[in-house]
Amino acid sequence: MTRVEDPRTLLLMRHAKSDYPPGVADHDRPLAPRGVKQAGLAGDWLRANAPAIDAVLCSTATRARQTLANTRIDGPVRYRERLYGATPGTMIEEINAVGDDVQTLLVVGHEPTMSGLALGLAGTGTDAAAAERISAKFPTSAIAVLTVPFTWKDLELGRAALIAFEIPR
């Protein structure tokens, strides 16, 4: 394990509220009007409270892509098909491939993966109240904030600290 001097920040965000138009496949469902507003508020929260985002991993699902677009977050984005319907293990594999130049990483994905990943990564230094809130519900556009004291390639279960959980509304 390679420890880093300045812990990295991992932001796990669930897509905003989606719509359910008839005849539209799950992967292609767009955001609902409420979701567009939620995503904008989440972007406002990220800009005001999180470190500058250096990179983004985003599911290819329409609602995830639209969530990211409506946050108005700048930064290099990698859209990954395998983040749609991913397990926490698949998410960790994708995060492990992020370059060492990335200090703050935003991941936009789906439930139940985001809550499972946030709770699975949570180890020493975790805020118990944040973990309890995530265990109860990881609502649309919610953001789990974790610090990672290792390089991305060394991230594994129990090796991060869950320090906050925000539901921008």
Side-chain angles (χ1 to χ4, degrees):
M1 294 278 159
T2 306
R3 280 198 169 271
V4 291
E5 197 168 301
D6 292 324
R8 297 167 190 280
T9 301
L10 177 61
L11 303 162
L12 302 177
M13 180 179 178
R14 182 180 177 193
H15 65 78
K17 180 69 179 162
S18 58
D19 206 353
Y20 293 88
V24 175
D26 184 73
H27 186 275
D28 301 327
R29 287 191 297 120
L31 290 183
R34 185 173 97 194
V36 172
K37 180 181 177 190
Q38 283 180 349
L41 292 171
D44 292 344
W45 185 88
L46 287 165
R47 276 185 294 285
N49 298 284
I53 294 168
D54 300 311
V56 180
L57 291 175
C58 185
S59 163
T60 57
T62 300
R63 60 192 177 274
R65 294 172 72 101
Q66 289 179 344
T67 295
L68 179 58
N70 282 286
T71 63
R72 300 174 317 279
I73 294 296
D74 291 327
V77 181
R78 284 193 302 170
Y79 295 100
R80 303 292 293 160
E81 178 72 34
R82 65 190 300 230
L83 296 185
Y84 174 73
T87 64
T90 298
M91 290 288 239
I92 291 171
E93 288 173 7
E94 288 294 325
I95 295 166
N96 289 156
V98 171
D100 288 339
D101 58 322
V102 174
Q103 188 66 26
T104 301
L105 176 65
L106 171 63
V107 180
V108 181
H110 309 270
E111 267 297 278
T113 307
M114 301 313 275
S115 60
L117 181 60
L119 295 172
L121 291 173
T124 305
T126 287
D127 179 308
E132 188 173 312
R133 289 175 57 219
I134 289 172
S135 293
K137 185 174 184 180
F138 200 117
T140 53
S141 76
I143 303 162
V145 182
L146 298 99
T147 57
V148 179
F150 302 99
T151 59
W152 295 117
K153 71 178 181 343
D154 291 327
L155 180 66
E156 56 187 44
L157 294 175
R159 296 300 225 154
L162 173 65
I163 60 168
F165 183 59
E166 184 64 30
I167 305 168
R169 293 285 192 257

